[in-house]
């Protein structure tokens, strides 16, 4: 049973949705990294439930750091923290005991853990567990910003509504715009339409999914491995660990199926003394290794499986067909909250790749 991700920088995740608390151990962070608590607070705020487009569960989500940080700087030892669970309604799940909620991990988890799992609120499978991932990601963003590396994600598509794409010539400005927003879109009118769509789904006891578009700038060429630890494989591993993520594509992704090689190839050219490519269909990655262009990828998130409509399922204890209506507090969409989790997992992965490539002394500095 593995709840650890990463090579030279790793995250160990623990806790359940309705347990005493959730948290993580972030190991491998070099000493001397300045922790920007404003970044942690901003990212945690972006993950929080808000308004009627999110679950009614409200948590403070303030991490209590137990080790690894002193006087605002990392010590180089494991960073451990816990986030208390305060607003739990476990009784909401009493009627769902032994019921396989459609789209959820109830049955699969029951088989894996032989009936000893804590299923309340989804237990260890809950989106609640993304909160400590965001804390870890925020710490890694503190590391990356030292090197001029930025990460930003916007909601690219929701049903028939599409946001404007990232402007490749002004990526830094677009990333800054995304990171300043709670509902991350580049076109405000499209954002209003998406919010109205989520509201409509909630009113019909339903839910919606969507596509996120991510850009990473400032990452140098030569990072990653050509085979099993390619940049794509490491990022995909991290991104698929986010609940409800069901697809990842890099660069032009599945659109490559509509292209000739003459169009798909990114021609190299000189930009002053810098080697760049004229296009970026490959998303900043060749042969599993960064080529110095922005990393570009999209992720798709399925509609939230917890809906209040009557659904068909089974009681896996009695082996009977049953009907289920899921009540309680649930998100009609997670896409707007998931985008900061995508940023966090991207930051963790990139920081790990850089430490693997250059060593731990690449980050942090000598104590003055």
């Amino acid at each position: 049973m593995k709840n650890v991700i990463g090579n030279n920088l790793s995250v160990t995740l623990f806790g359940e949705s309705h347990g005493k608390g959730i948290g993580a151990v972030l190991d491998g962070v070099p000493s001397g990294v300045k922790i920007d608590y404003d970044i942690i607070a901003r990212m945690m705020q972006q993950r929080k439930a808000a308004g009627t487009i999110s679950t009614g569960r409200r948590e403070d989500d303030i991490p209590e750091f137990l080790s690894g940080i002193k006087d605002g700087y990392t010590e180089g030892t494991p960073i451990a923290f816990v986030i208390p669970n305060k607003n739990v309604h476990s009784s909401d799940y009493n009627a769902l005991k032994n019921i396989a909620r459609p789209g959820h991990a109830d049955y699969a988890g029951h088989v894996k853990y032989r009936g000893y799992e804590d299923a309340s609120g989804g237990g260890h499978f809950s989106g609640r567990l993304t909160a400590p991932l965001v804390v870890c990601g925020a710490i890694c963003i503190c590391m990356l910003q030292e090197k001029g590396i930025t990460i930003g994600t916007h909601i690219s598509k929701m049903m028939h509504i599409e946001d404007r794409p990232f402007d490749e010539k002004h990526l830094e400005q677009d990333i800054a715009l995304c990171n300043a927003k709670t509902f991350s879109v580049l076109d405000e009118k499209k954002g209003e339409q998406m919010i109205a769509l989520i509201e409509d789904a909630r009113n019909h006891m339903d839910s919606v999914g969507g596509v996120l578009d991510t850009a990473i700038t400032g990452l140098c060429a030569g990072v990653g491995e050509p085979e099993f630890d390619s940049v794509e494989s490491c990022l995909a591993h991290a991104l698929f660990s986010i609940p409800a993520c069901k697809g990842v594509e890099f660069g032009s992704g599945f659109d490559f199926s509509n292209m000739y090689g003459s169009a798909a190839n990114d021609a190299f050219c000189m930009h002053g003394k810098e080697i760049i490519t004229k296009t970026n269909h490959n998303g900043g990655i060749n042969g599993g290794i960064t080529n110095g262009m922005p990393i570009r990828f999209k992720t798709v998130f399925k509609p939230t499986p917890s809906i209040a409509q009557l659904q068909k399922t089974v009681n896996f204890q009695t082996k009977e067909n049953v009907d289920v209506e899921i009540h309680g507090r649930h998100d009609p969409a997670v896409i707007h909250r998931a985008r900061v989790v995508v940023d966090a997992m991207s930051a963790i992965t990139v920081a790990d790749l850089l430490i693997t490539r250059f060593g731990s002394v690449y980050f942090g500095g000598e104590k003055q």
Side-chain angles (χ1 to χ4, degrees):
M1 298 178 188
K2 191 168 184 283
N3 298 286
V4 181
I5 190 170
N7 294 312
N8 291 295
L9 182 147
S10 65
V11 175
T12 302
L13 191 64
F14 65 85
E16 295 84 31
S17 178
H18 287 197
K20 290 184 178 180
I22 53 178
V25 176
L26 180 60
D27 200 0
V29 177
S31 60
V33 174
K34 182 175 176 56
I35 299 299
D36 188 333
Y37 291 100
D38 288 339
I39 290 178
I40 298 174
R42 170 178 61 81
M43 292 180 66
M44 293 301 285
Q45 184 64 39
Q46 289 169 341
R47 199 207 72 91
K48 277 188 178 183
T52 55
I53 62 171
S54 303
T55 175
R57 181 175 180 177
R58 302 292 189 263
E59 294 279 5
D60 294 335
D61 281 351
I62 300 173
E64 299 177 6
F65 289 99
L66 308 176
S67 66
I69 299 174
K70 182 180 180 182
D71 299 329
Y73 288 87
T74 58
E75 300 175 22
T77 54
I79 298 172
F81 63 90
V82 64
I83 302 172
N85 287 327
K86 298 179 179 179
N87 188 8
V88 298
H89 290 178
S90 298
S91 60
D92 289 346
Y93 295 86
N94 291 342
L96 297 173
K97 184 175 175 60
N98 301 323
I99 301 296
R101 293 173 297 165
H104 279 277
D106 301 323
Y107 174 64
H110 178 79
V111 173
K112 179 175 177 62
Y113 297 113
R114 301 181 297 168
Y116 289 97
E117 72 283 354
D118 179 1
S120 296
H124 192 65
F125 297 95
S126 171
R128 178 88 185 112
L129 272 293
T130 62
L133 294 178
V134 171
V135 176
C136 293
I139 292 171
C140 290
I141 282 178
C142 293
M143 298 164 58
L144 298 178
Q145 70 176 5
E146 291 182 357
K147 300 298 180 180
I149 298 168
T150 61
I151 301 174
T153 299
H154 73 109
I155 304 171
S156 173
K157 186 175 185 294
M158 189 182 294
M159 290 286 198
H160 58 279
I161 306 167
E162 295 190 26
D163 191 22
R164 78 160 172 85
F166 274 126
D167 183 346
E168 288 280 354
K169 294 182 179 179
H170 302 94
L171 267 180
E172 294 286 350
Q173 293 93 318
D174 276 354
I175 287 174
L177 179 62
C178 289
N179 288 339
K181 294 184 176 183
T182 300
F183 195 91
S184 182
V185 289
L186 298 169
D187 184 325
E188 285 295 333
K189 289 185 178 179
K190 296 295 185 180
E192 292 170 4
Q193 293 174 20
M194 290 179 183
I195 291 172
L197 178 66
I198 298 172
E199 293 277 15
D200 184 65
R202 179 183 63 84
N203 291 335
H204 287 86
M205 297 184 295
D206 218 328
S207 61
V208 292
V211 177
L212 296 175
D213 185 9
T214 301
I216 304 174
T217 65
L219 187 56
C220 63
V223 176
E225 302 297 331
E227 301 294 345
F228 307 114
D229 280 337
S230 69
V231 175
E232 294 104 327
S233 2
C234 291
L235 277 169
H237 184 190
L239 295 166
F240 277 121
S241 69
I242 304 172
C245 179
K246 284 297 182 180
V248 180
E249 66 173 15
F250 292 89
S252 293
F254 288 98
D255 283 343
F256 278 126
S257 64
N258 301 317
M259 302 166 70
Y260 288 103
S262 55
N265 287 343
D266 299 312
F268 286 92
C269 65
M270 296 303 300
H271 181 69
K273 295 184 178 181
E274 184 183 7
I275 298 175
I276 64 170
T277 59
K278 290 185 177 181
T279 55
N280 194 19
H281 295 299
N282 288 278
I285 305 166
N286 293 134
I289 300 170
T290 58
N291 63 16
M293 294 296 288
I295 303 295
R296 296 297 308 278
F297 60 85
K298 290 182 178 179
T299 46
V300 62
F301 284 78
K302 70 177 184 177
T304 319
S306 291
I307 58 175
Q309 293 184 22
L310 185 70
Q311 299 178 85
K312 301 292 184 182
T313 188
V314 299
N315 182 311
F316 47 75
Q317 190 69 40
T318 64
K319 303 296 192 295
E320 296 175 320
N321 292 317
V322 296
D323 294 334
V324 61
E325 289 179 285
I326 301 174
H327 301 290
R329 305 169 297 174
H330 304 287
D331 292 272
V334 296
I335 190 77
H336 54 294
R337 302 176 65 194
R339 65 88 180 207
V340 73
V341 188
V342 168
D343 288 347
M345 295 308 293
S346 301
I348 292 166
T349 304
V350 170
D352 187 20
L353 286 166
L354 287 168
I355 291 173
T356 301
R357 175 70 173 87
F358 298 111
S360 61
V361 293
Y362 184 72
F363 294 106
E366 294 293 334
K367 192 170 184 179
Q368 299 301 314

